[in-house]
Amino acid sequence: MTKRGNPLMTTERRSLARPAEIRSEGEAVTMRGYAYRFHELSHDLGGFRERIMPGAGADSLRVNDVLATFNHDVNNVLGRSFAGTLRTGEDGDGGWYEIDLPNTTVGRDLAELLKRGDVRGSSFTFHVREGGQRVHDELDETSGLPIREITRMDVVELGPVLNPAYPTTDAGLMRSIALTLGIGETPSSDSRESLPIHPARALFRALVHKGGVQ
């Protein structure tokens, strides 16, 4: 029997193909980038597209001990908030981060890769907070897919990545949610709608109202 659980337990990861900046002052090397940009639509994440709304991660970036890594590898730690080697926040464009790169093999190699332009993007790991997602009223004009909007989230990790891309939400989780909630059903005969509900639209409306499953 499938259990319904806390949506905070679902870990998601997204990437942004925007180059980071790097600057040097003496021996200190600092990089700055955006983990996410507001209002930018993701690729198809498995039947829906997604965008981050302004303010979604501001609270968590202020209080969380966010970890900065290279390529999401905890063996490649670059900094962390509580150590003061990572600074994060939101501005008018999105969620930014600034790292004082360590004088380690990873830090030195990354600095060189950034200077050469080999590292081209950033990524972040997050949990959607309770009530922190919604389905936009209109479908995406380009793809015809529903749009999931993230309004409140906990950012737990971020940093530069070698190959930025928008990975899909775990397919097994999506199937589990669909099976448990019985999405994609046709409305009753007395409904004003005569067409089947778009599966992805139904999925996320169900998530918003029922809090997801584990």
Side-chain angles (χ1 to χ4, degrees), residues 3-164:
K3 296 181 181 180
R4 291 202 174 101
N6 191 330
L8 299 184
M9 298 301 292
T10 301
T11 299
E12 302 184 59
R13 183 171 291 162
R14 302 288 183 267
S15 299
L16 183 68
R18 293 289 183 92
E21 302 173 357
I22 186 169
R23 67 175 185 267
S24 300
E25 295 181 6
E27 296 183 357
V29 180
T30 301
M31 68 162 295
R32 180 184 172 96
Y34 279 91
Y36 53 90
R37 297 266 188 167
F38 299 137
H39 300 296
E40 289 192 359
L41 280 174
S42 71
H43 299 304
D44 183 348
L45 297 182
F48 67 97
R49 300 184 76 182
E50 180 181 273
R51 61 182 165 218
I52 309 296
M53 304 305 292
D59 291 344
S60 68
L61 292 177
R62 279 195 295 266
V63 302
N64 285 0
D65 184 16
V66 181
L67 186 67
T69 66
F70 179 40
N71 271 338
H72 297 295
D73 187 343
V74 294
N75 294 310
N76 293 334
V77 174
L78 301 174
R80 66 188 311 159
S81 297
F82 283 10
T85 52
L86 168 67
R87 295 167 293 282
T88 61
E90 286 190 356
D91 58 21
D93 294 323
W96 59 267
Y97 67 92
E98 187 175 77
I99 307 169
D100 298 329
L101 294 180
N103 185 22
T104 62
T105 300
V106 173
R108 293 190 297 270
D109 289 351
L110 176 59
E112 182 63 22
L113 292 172
L114 286 165
K115 292 174 183 177
R116 287 160 45 100
D118 296 329
V119 175
R120 301 291 296 171
S122 301
S123 184
F124 73 107
T125 303
F126 68 102
H127 309 299
V128 176
R129 291 188 178 183
E130 185 175 357
Q133 61 184 347
R134 66 192 181 204
V135 180
H136 189 60
D137 290 337
E138 303 295 331
L139 298 176
D140 174 42
E141 293 182 0
T142 302
S143 64
L145 293 173
I147 298 173
R148 179 199 196 194
E149 294 182 333
I150 305 298
T151 59
R152 295 181 70 233
M153 62 182 178
D154 267 314
V155 179
V156 296
E157 180 264 349
L158 50 73
V161 291
L162 187 60
N163 294 309

